[in-house]
Amino acid sequence: MHNNEMKRQRTWEVLGLSCWHPHCGRHMALILLAQRAHVRRRRRPQERVFRARTQFLNLPEDVVIQRYRLHPALIRDLCHLLERDLQPSTGRSHALPVYVKVTAALDFYTSGTFQTPAGDAAGISQASMSRCVTQVTEAIVRRAHKFIRFPRGHIQHKTAARDFQRLHGFPGTVGAVGCTHVALKPPSDHESQYRNRWRYHSMHMQAVCDARGALTQIVSEYPGSMTEEEILEQSSLEHMFQNQKKENEFWLVGGCCYIQKPWLMTPIEDPQSPAESRYNSAHAAALNVMAHALCCLKSRFRCLSRRGGSLQYSPLKVSQIFVACCVLHNMALSHGLEVPVEEQEEGSEGEAEGEAKQQAQEARKQLLQKYFS
């Protein structure tokens, strides 16, 4: 039997046919029909089901504020601001509109839950939810410089210092500096770098705020193992203050985790005089605005809180989410929208090592003599 005939015989056996003859036209026709049926066999595509979506404009104002932590008018402004980046590029009738993308991301920021529950609330799938969070976050981060601005120049410094003096009683202050941890799932190849002093994995974020708690500078790229002092040294703050003129008596206030500097006032560890005690009291009042701002930030956007679990994203994505939430925090403050504080910050781990320079000690001494003696 030739090779071709043997192949046809095996084909017949696979098809379950009992006889075969090379000249049997009926049997050959059966083979062709069977082969064509196999090739054409396809699963009928399932019809897509589009779930109902909730428009924030149709909800009562108090429900919108409770759910998204922003006023409806502010959400509309945000949609207009991000419209160019989020407008669907496809002409499909079921492409996600801008308001769905924005409110889906806000759902995720504020709920502290993972993507499926928030996506269900927005009426979209988990995959669509993930894309919405990415697109909205990146669009906000691209505009962060418009909302997070450190005071520049003598006039802005003087205005910021006047607010701190009036609201908190500490002179010359243009900002309070502090840090907070945002939990994340660490990269497997650098796991130890992200383990912080409280033994969980995090990104360590530095922030500066003004007298009203608005965030004016953010450093968000360092792992949880870095200390506050190390992050401060890597930031641009020292360069900015070193370039100011000597007659400009402006500085930041920071906690005991920082080393005293000419431009950074820290608490006096063991006050020995009434002037030092008054200094510490005013310093604590000024520094408290930073702790309150960070607590408000995490209470408003629970994805940043450990109560919402660890963010299951790369360090870069976690950094972007933090910056986006800081922008939204400032937008909410500018509209007078307060939030109940539910989050408490972890305390600092004592005084940073090393002795302060004589120049820094002298700057604090002059401040004591001028304002607190």
Side-chain angles (χ1 to χ4, degrees), residues 130-142:
S130 179
R131 288 190 293 270
C132 288
V133 171
T134 297
Q135 292 174 13
V136 173
T137 298
E138 292 177 351
I140 294 175
V141 169
R142 280 191 287 269

Side-chain angles (χ1 to χ4, degrees), residues 34-327:
Q35 290 176 339
R36 289 175 182 175
H38 178 73
V39 171
R40 292 176 179 175
R41 189 179 299 128
R42 295 286 188 272
R43 295 182 65 183
R44 294 182 62 185
Q46 294 183 353
E47 185 177 351
R48 292 184 65 186
V49 177
F50 296 94
R51 288 177 285 177
R53 298 167 183 161
T54 302
Q55 288 201 41
F56 71 94
L57 293 174
N58 297 333
L59 298 173
E61 181 178 305
D62 58 335
V63 174
V64 173
I65 294 175
Q66 182 180 9
R67 178 169 171 177
Y68 300 115
R69 303 299 178 126
L70 297 176
H71 193 276
L74 189 53
I75 298 178
R76 282 196 297 268
D77 292 343
L78 186 62
C79 290
H80 291 312
L81 178 69
L82 307 180
E83 185 174 11
R84 180 175 296 181
D85 289 9
L86 303 181
Q87 192 68 38
S89 58
T90 176
R92 293 182 305 164
S93 60
H94 290 288
L96 295 179
V98 173
Y99 81 87
V100 171
K101 294 180 179 180
V102 170
T103 52
L106 291 176
D107 251 326
F108 175 71
Y109 297 153
T110 59
S111 66
T113 60
F114 295 114
Q115 293 175 354
T116 300
D120 290 342
I124 59 178
S125 67
Q126 181 174 350
S128 295
M129 180 71 186
S130 179
R131 288 190 293 270
C132 288
V133 171
T134 297
Q135 292 174 13
V136 173
T137 298
E138 292 177 351
I140 294 175
V141 169
R142 280 191 287 269
R143 294 161 175 82
H145 64 281
K146 298 180 180 180
F147 300 92
I148 302 175
R149 292 178 291 190
F150 192 80
R152 302 277 184 170
H154 180 76
I155 295 177
Q156 292 187 8
H157 283 173
K158 190 173 182 179
T159 300
R162 185 168 59 244
D163 288 342
F164 263 100
Q165 173 80 60
R166 178 172 57 86
L167 296 175
H168 308 293
F170 201 89
T173 305
V174 297
V177 62
C179 287
T180 188
H181 289 271
V182 177
L184 84 164
K185 181 180 179 180
S188 57
D189 51 345
H190 298 292
E191 181 270 341
S192 61
Q193 295 182 15
Y194 292 86
R195 187 177 295 276
N196 61 36
R197 64 174 71 112
W198 288 280
R199 311 306 296 169
Y200 68 89
H201 299 100
S202 67
M203 296 283 290
H204 205 179
M205 315 298 197
Q206 177 182 283
V208 178
C209 74
D210 64 15
R212 294 176 174 82
L215 301 171
T216 59
Q217 204 237 21
I218 299 296
V219 178
S220 61
E221 66 262 32
Y222 293 108
S225 63
M226 287 191 67
T227 67
E228 290 88 346
E229 181 67 25
E230 290 171 340
I231 297 173
L232 183 67
E233 290 176 354
Q234 297 296 322
S235 72
S236 60
L237 290 173
E238 183 169 5
H239 175 73
M240 287 192 292
F241 279 96
Q242 283 180 341
N243 289 338
Q244 74 173 347
K245 297 179 181 179
K246 289 186 177 181
E247 60 268 21
N248 293 345
E249 294 183 349
F250 300 117
W251 39 70
L252 300 174
V253 293
C256 58
C257 54
Y258 295 109
I259 296 174
Q260 170 74 21
K261 298 174 176 60
W263 51 271
L264 177 62
M265 296 298 153
T266 61
I268 297 174
E269 185 175 358
D270 185 21
Q272 299 294 319
S273 67
E276 291 182 345
S277 296
R278 287 192 293 270
Y279 167 92
N280 270 7
S281 296
H283 183 280
L287 187 60
N288 184 63
V289 68
M290 180 77 261
H292 183 74
L294 293 176
C295 290
C296 285
L297 178 69
K298 288 188 172 182
S299 297
R300 190 187 303 275
F301 302 111
R302 294 176 184 171
C303 68
L304 304 179
S305 169
R306 287 188 71 195
R307 297 182 183 183
S310 298
L311 288 172
Q312 304 296 298
Y313 293 114
S314 68
L316 175 61
K317 186 75 170 288
V318 172
S319 171
Q320 291 174 333
I321 290 173
F322 182 79
V323 173
C325 290
C326 290
V327 169

